[in-house]
Structures are given as structure tokens and as C-alpha cells.
Amino acid sequence: MTTEAVPLWAQILTGGLLLLSAVLTLASAWGVLSLRDFFKRLHPPALVLVGATWCVTLASMLFLSLHDGTLQLRAWLIIIVLSMTVPITTVILSRAALFRERRKPSGANLPPPLHPINATESPHDTP
């Protein structure tokens, strides 16, 4: 594949998007290493990595569309799937970690569960 068909401005923009993606990925890795608590390091790296994926996807769509001469939108599937799965995975991981922390003796300072397991009263039984 040659890059003669792609204008210089598009090559520079594609390279800039890929470099921005690399910087965001490095920031995500730094966040995972520097934040010590699981709950603190769960959300920011997920957001940063989705941003990095957006940059790679946009760079891919721009370069391939200008190289082939037709609009290439197949890369949107990547970002659509990631935009749906990352928040769901983040919620599932945080709930699993919260459940695990509540079972430890040191979990007394955590917020109470929304629906206590050993509740004897129904919320509809108000006097």
C-alpha cells in the first residue's frame, strides 16, 4: 500500500490522531499504576482507553477513505461495540469488587447494600 494517493494534510492528521492515541494509552497505564485503590483506578483508564480507541478509529477511517476514494465506515463497528461494552464491564467489575469488599471484616466503612439480605420488613409494610 502506498501513501501517494493520500494528501499530506491527511497523513499529518492521521499521524497526529495516532500519537494522541499513544499519549492517552500511556496516561491510562499511568493511572492504573499510580492509583492504589481498585475503585479509584477502575473508571478513568476505561474512559481514556475509549478515547484512545476513538482516535485510532478516526485515523483509520480518514486514511482508508482517502486512500481508497470511498467512504470507509467499517471501523465504526469497533467503537460502537467498545462504547457499549466498556460501561457495562465497568459496572459489573465495580459491583463484584464491592460485593467482595463487603464480605471482608474491614468492609464496615463501605456504603450499605441497596437491598439488605436479611431484611425482615418489606418496604410496603409501613405503619
Side-chain angles (χ1 to χ4, degrees), residues 3-15 62-63 66:
T3 58
E4 287 88 22
V6 180
L8 181 63
W9 66 267
Q11 293 178 19
I12 292 171
L13 186 59
T14 301
L62 174 70
F63 187 83
L66 290 174

Side-chain angles (χ1 to χ4, degrees), residues 50 54 78-87:
V50 169
W54 270 90
I78 297 168
I79 200 60
I80 288 170
V81 169
L82 276 175
S83 295
M84 288 188 303
T85 58
V86 168

Side-chain angles (χ1 to χ4, degrees), residues 5 15 27 31-32 35 39 49-50 52 56 58 64 71 76-77 83:
V32 167
L35 298 171
F39 296 105
L49 281 178
V50 169
V56 170
L58 290 175
L64 292 175
L71 190 59
W76 275 109
L77 291 175
S83 295

Side-chain angles (χ1 to χ4, degrees), residues 48-101:
V48 172
L49 281 178
V50 169
T53 307
W54 270 90
C55 290
V56 170
T57 303
L58 290 175
S60 172
M61 286 181 1
L62 174 70
F63 187 83
L64 292 175
S65 293
L66 290 174
H67 183 269
D68 295 341
T70 60
L71 190 59
Q72 300 289 328
L73 295 178
R74 285 176 273 167
W76 275 109
L77 291 175
I78 297 168
I79 200 60
I80 288 170
V81 169
L82 276 175
S83 295
M84 288 188 303
T85 58
V86 168
I88 294 168
T89 306
T90 303
V91 168
I92 290 171
L93 285 173
S94 63
R95 289 181 60 95
L98 188 61
F99 177 76
R100 190 174 187 179
E101 287 293 319

